[in-house]
Amino acid sequence: MTLFEELTERGLIAQLTDPDEIKELINAGKATFYIGFDCTADSLTAGHFMALTLMKRLQMAGNRPIALIGGGTTMIGDPSGRTDMRKMLTIEDINHNAECFKRQMERFIEFGEGKAMMVNNADWLLNLNYVDFLREVGTHFSVNKMLTAECYKQRMEKGLSFFEFNYMLMQSYDFYYMFQKYGCNMEFGGDDQWSNMLGGTELIRKKLGKDAYAMTITLLTDSNGNKMGKTAGNAVWLDADKTSPFDFFQYWRNVDDADVIKCLKMLTFLPLEQIKEMESWVGTSKVNEAKEILGYELTKMVHGEDEAKKSLDAAKALFSGAVDNANIPAVEITSDIFTDDKIGLLDFLSKIKLVPSNGEARRLIKQGGIVIDDIKIEDQGHVVNKSDFDKKGFIVIKKGKKNFTKVVLK
C-alpha cells in the first residue's frame, strides 16, 4: 500500500488541489510541506494531534516537514470556526507560547539538518511594509471571492473586522514566501482551512508561474459532529501540567463506541489490518478493549510508555470498581481554602477546578454525579470539612461515571 492509499484508507484526506501530482510527490518522498500552528495558548491540544501524526507519517516516508509557528499570524487571529474575534495576545505571550509548541512538537517530528524544519512567520510578516504588501499580494485577491469563503461567511452575521479580513492574505503569503525560500511545495491543514490554503497556491501560480499544492485533512469530530479534543467545555492539552496523562488517557478511553475505530485509524500508527479486526468489536463489550488500546497508544506518544502503562492500570482498576489512588490525577489544596475549617461544596468544586461554574456543580449534584469517598452527595448545601482529610490526608471525588480526582490537603 502506498502512502497516499494509506492516508485515504485511514480517512485522513478531505480535499486536495491536484490529486495525481500530490500522490506522486508524497509517495516518492519528494514533498516539502508545511502545517501552520498559531500560538494562541502555551500548549498544543488534542485538536492538533492529527496534524502532528500526519507530519510524522509523511516524514517516515521521506517527505520533509516544515512546522510553521505562527508568531506573526497569531497577532491577527484566524477567523475560521469562530463566532467572535480572538483575544489579542502580547508579543511576549506569543513568543512564550511558540517556545512551548517547539518542545512538544519535538516528541513527534525529527528536526535537524536535512530533516524537519521549524520556522516562525513573525520573522517575515512583522517586517512587511504594508503598502508594498498590498501591491505585491493584495492585488491578486478578489474581495467578492474572499467573502464567499466559509471562514468568513459565519463571521459576517456578527461582524468581521478588517483586522481579521487580512488573515487569508497573511496565510497565503506564508506559503508564497516559503515556496521561494525553502522550496516548500505543499501545504496541509484542517478541512476548515481550505479557502486560506487555496489562496496560497493561487498566489504562487499567479506570481511565479509555478505549481504548488494543497491538501486538507478531515477534521476529527465525534458522531454528533462536534470537534474532538474537548471535555466539559475545556481543551484536552498535550501539556501534562494542563491535562494529566491519566485524564488524557481517560478522554480517549471514554470516546463513543461509534468513534473508536475512526480514532484508531486517524491517530494511531497501528497497522490497518489490526484495526480492521477490531471493527467487529463495536457493538460488543469488547469495544472497551479497543478504547483502552486507543488511550494507551495516544498517551504513549504524548507522555511516554511509563505514563501510558500507569494510566491503563489505573483505568482498569476504576472500571473494575476499585480506585487506584496512586495513579489517578491529584489536586493539592492548603488549609487557607477553608473558613472555620469548612467550605461549601459548590465553592470547593469550583476552587479545585473540577467544574467550570457553580451552575454546572448544581447540575451534577442534582443528577447524582458527585461522589466523595464512595458517598453520593445529593445536597447542594453540602459542606466539606477539614476533618474529612484527617484519616488519609486526601479525599477522592468521582464526577460522573468515570472521572476521579484525588484532592490532597498539604
Side-chain angles (χ1 to χ4, degrees):
M1 183 181 292
T2 66
L3 174 60
F4 188 86
E5 289 171 337
E6 182 177 357
L7 297 180
T8 303
E9 185 72 17
R10 289 183 180 273
L12 288 167
I13 299 177
Q15 300 181 82
L16 59 170
T17 54
D18 305 86
D20 292 338
E21 290 81 356
I22 290 174
K23 186 186 304 183
E24 183 179 346
L25 279 170
I26 66 172
N27 285 344
K30 293 182 178 179
T32 297
F33 68 96
Y34 93 91
I35 298 180
F37 300 83
D38 275 352
C39 317
T40 52
D42 59 359
S43 172
L44 295 165
T45 71
H48 295 108
F49 203 82
M50 190 157 58
L52 295 171
T53 56
L54 177 67
M55 294 176 89
K56 184 171 183 177
R57 290 184 207 279
L58 288 162
Q59 186 176 41
M60 290 167 64
N63 300 285
R64 189 181 191 191
I66 299 177
L68 174 65
I69 300 295
T73 41
T74 304
M75 297 189 73
I76 295 179
D78 184 3
S80 300
R82 300 286 298 188
T83 57
D84 55 3
M85 192 165 76
R86 294 180 187 271
K87 176 186 174 184
M88 286 195 207
L89 301 177
T90 66
I91 292 177
E92 291 75 21
D93 286 339
I94 292 170
N95 289 340
H96 169 73
N97 294 347
E99 287 301 316
C100 295
F101 278 21
K102 287 179 183 178
R103 290 194 295 271
Q104 292 177 342
M105 287 180 182
E106 286 170 346
R107 301 175 195 166
F108 295 86
I109 309 158
E110 191 175 357
F111 293 95
E113 187 67 31
K115 298 176 183 177
M117 297 174 60
M118 187 174 291
V119 297
N120 189 329
N121 64 16
D123 294 342
W124 57 85
L125 290 181
L126 299 189
N127 296 321
L128 286 173
N129 177 286
Y130 187 60
V131 174
D132 290 343
F133 176 74
L134 289 179
R135 288 172 62 90
E136 183 176 9
V137 176
T139 54
H140 296 281
F141 285 80
S142 160
V143 171
N144 290 347
K145 186 175 180 180
M146 290 174 69
L147 289 175
T148 65
E150 287 299 323
C151 62
Y152 292 141
K153 273 185 183 178
Q154 54 193 320
R155 285 298 310 282
M156 292 297 289
E157 294 179 6
K158 290 196 173 182
L160 174 70
S161 70
F162 180 73
F163 184 63
E164 297 169 282
F165 194 59
N166 280 270
Y167 192 92
M168 183 184 289
L169 274 68
M170 295 292 188
Q171 182 170 335
S172 299
Y173 185 80
D174 283 342
F175 196 3
Y176 172 68
Y177 179 90
M178 290 189 292
F179 183 94
Q180 296 176 92
K181 187 170 180 66
Y182 304 117
C184 179
N185 54 16
M186 199 174 300
E187 178 181 4
F188 287 88
D191 201 16
D192 58 346
Q193 291 289 308
W194 182 239
S195 298
N196 291 341
M197 293 165 65
L198 283 180
T201 59
E202 291 174 1
L203 180 63
I204 291 168
R205 292 174 183 184
K206 288 176 181 177
K207 290 282 295 179
L208 304 176
K210 297 181 179 179
D211 286 328
Y213 310 100
M215 186 178 93
T216 60
I217 52 179
T218 308
L219 295 176
L220 188 61
T221 57
D222 62 23
S223 49
N224 295 316
N226 301 310
K227 281 188 181 181
M228 298 190 73
K230 300 212 171 177
T231 177
N234 299 312
V236 176
W237 304 97
L238 303 192
D239 185 333
D241 292 333
K242 290 174 144 330
T243 298
S244 71
F246 178 80
D247 281 340
F248 185 83
F249 176 95
Q250 282 291 86
Y251 175 79
W252 300 108
R253 169 60 181 82
N254 293 334
V255 299
D256 290 342
D257 293 2
D259 297 321
V260 63
I261 298 300
K262 175 172 65 177
C263 292
L264 282 164
K265 285 181 177 179
M266 297 174 102
L267 299 176
T268 76
F269 288 82
L270 295 175
L272 283 167
E273 293 77 12
Q274 182 180 348
I275 297 172
K276 285 178 180 177
E277 290 178 6
M278 297 184 213
E279 289 180 357
S280 63
W281 300 357
V282 178
T284 73
S285 60
K286 205 171 182 184
V287 72
N288 291 325
E289 184 178 338
K291 293 182 184 182
E292 289 176 349
I293 292 170
L294 173 66
Y296 180 85
E297 290 295 322
L298 300 189
T299 306
K300 181 172 69 172
M301 273 193 274
V302 176
H303 298 293
E305 192 165 9
D306 286 346
E307 291 295 344
K309 287 179 178 177
K310 287 180 187 177
S311 298
L312 177 60
D313 291 343
K316 284 181 178 293
L318 294 179
F319 279 92
S320 68
V323 177
D324 183 352
N325 291 324
N327 288 325
I328 64 174
V331 174
E332 293 184 353
I333 61 171
T334 56
S335 296
D336 58 10
I337 198 174
F338 300 102
T339 300
D340 296 329
D341 291 340
K342 60 186 178 182
I343 182 174
L345 177 60
L346 296 179
D347 288 340
F348 183 71
L349 295 175
S350 179
K351 284 184 181 294
I352 64 174
K353 298 181 179 179
L354 198 62
V355 294
S357 66
N358 283 354
E360 174 67 9
R362 290 189 186 94
R363 184 188 67 78
L364 281 168
I365 295 169
K366 185 177 180 180
Q367 295 177 350
I370 295 294
V371 176
I372 300 179
D373 284 343
D374 295 326
I375 299 174
K376 183 184 292 186
I377 307 301
E378 299 178 318
D379 178 11
Q380 295 183 10
H382 182 84
V383 170
V384 177
N385 296 293
K386 186 178 179 182
S387 59
D388 295 339
F389 295 81
D390 288 349
K391 186 176 180 180
K392 300 176 294 185
F394 65 86
I395 60 174
V396 174
I397 300 179
K398 179 183 177 184
K399 184 181 78 170
K401 294 181 178 180
K402 304 168 184 175
N403 295 311
F404 289 78
T405 301
K406 180 166 65 174
V407 184
V408 182
L409 178 61
K410 299 300 284 186

